[in-house]
């Protein structure tokens, strides 16, 4: 019997708080879905250029990428940065948003961006990188590049003439 006043107070408070809690929950569901959708529609891609690329060309690449992404339908450019010195390339990272959730439209946009960058870099004499390794072999105390060492190495075994 002593708990009846407490239960009555909790019931009254519950009837007041429940609509407010449901309203907040509804608002979160209505707006949260858009936030999740934008997180899903954020796309990142990377590419590398040769170490022979000049500093001026490197500085210009983010501008070139931005122009190509902005020129592509259903995209919103976010950022492009010279990210790191890779093993065999100078690496860039690009982030953009899609305004459509359709995967086919995303793939069309990515293809358009890739082709546009290829053409643009070709016009600017910027070359995409590919995995390479240079081996240095010491001969007589001096390091020699592997290709040069192969030219001066004595021939062994059967040789084609």
């Amino acid at each position: 019997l002593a708990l009846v006043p407490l239960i009555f107070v909790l019931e009254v408070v519950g009837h007041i708080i429940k609509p407010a809690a449901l309203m907040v929950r509804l608002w979160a569901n209505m707006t949260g879905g858009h936030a999740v959708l934008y997180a899903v529609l954020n796309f990142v891609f990377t590419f590398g250029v040769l170490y022979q690329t000049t500093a001026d060309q490197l500085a210009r690449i983010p501008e070139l990428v931005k122009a190509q992404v902005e020129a592509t339908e259903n995209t919103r450019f976010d950022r492009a940065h010279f990210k790191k010195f890779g093993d065999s390339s100078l690496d860039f990272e690009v982030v953009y948003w899609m305004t459509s959730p359709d995967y086919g439209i995303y793939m069309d946009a990515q293809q358009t961006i890739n082709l546009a960058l290829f053409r643009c870099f070709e016009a600017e004499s910027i070359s995409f990188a590919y995995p390479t390794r240079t081996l240095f072999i010491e001969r007589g105390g001096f390091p020699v590049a592997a290709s040069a060492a192969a030219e001066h190495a004595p021939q062994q075994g059967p040789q084609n003439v």
Side-chain angles (χ1 to χ4, degrees):
L1 228 49
L3 294 177
V4 170
L6 180 61
I7 292 173
F8 176 77
V9 170
L10 289 175
E11 283 292 323
V12 170
V13 170
H15 285 294
I16 294 170
I17 291 177
K18 188 172 183 176
L22 289 174
M23 186 173 60
V24 169
R25 188 171 162 191
L26 176 63
W27 175 82
N29 286 337
M30 289 170 51
T31 59
H34 290 52
V36 170
L37 186 60
Y38 276 121
V40 171
L41 297 178
N42 172 328
F43 292 97
V44 178
F45 71 95
T46 60
F47 63 89
V49 296
L50 294 178
Y51 267 91
Q52 289 79 5
T53 307
T54 67
D56 289 338
Q57 288 174 317
L58 287 175
R60 189 151 155 60
I61 287 173
E63 299 166 18
L64 298 172
V65 172
K66 180 179 181 180
Q68 300 312 318
V69 172
E70 288 179 341
T72 304
E73 284 186 52
N74 299 306
T75 63
R76 194 181 93 226
F77 178 79
D78 185 20
R79 59 188 160 82
H81 290 97
F82 173 26
K83 184 177 179 181
K84 68 178 182 170
F85 294 90
D87 289 338
S88 57
S89 63
L90 302 169
D91 296 336
F92 284 80
E93 180 179 83
V94 180
V95 179
Y96 68 95
W97 299 84
M98 288 298 299
T99 58
S100 169
D102 185 286
Y103 186 75
I105 292 174
Y106 154 68
M107 287 304 297
D108 289 343
Q110 186 64 59
Q111 176 175 280
T112 300
I113 292 167
N114 289 345
L115 291 171
L117 286 176
F118 199 88
R119 289 183 181 111
C120 184
F121 283 18
E122 195 173 51
E124 296 278 335
S125 299
I126 299 171
S127 297
F128 286 99
Y130 43 87
T132 56
R133 294 271 188 242
T134 301
L135 298 176
F136 290 92
I137 302 168
E138 282 194 36
R139 295 191 73 167
F142 298 101
V144 178
S147 58
E151 291 174 9
H152 302 293
Q155 300 293 324
Q156 297 178 347
Q159 298 175 14
N160 294 332
V161 179

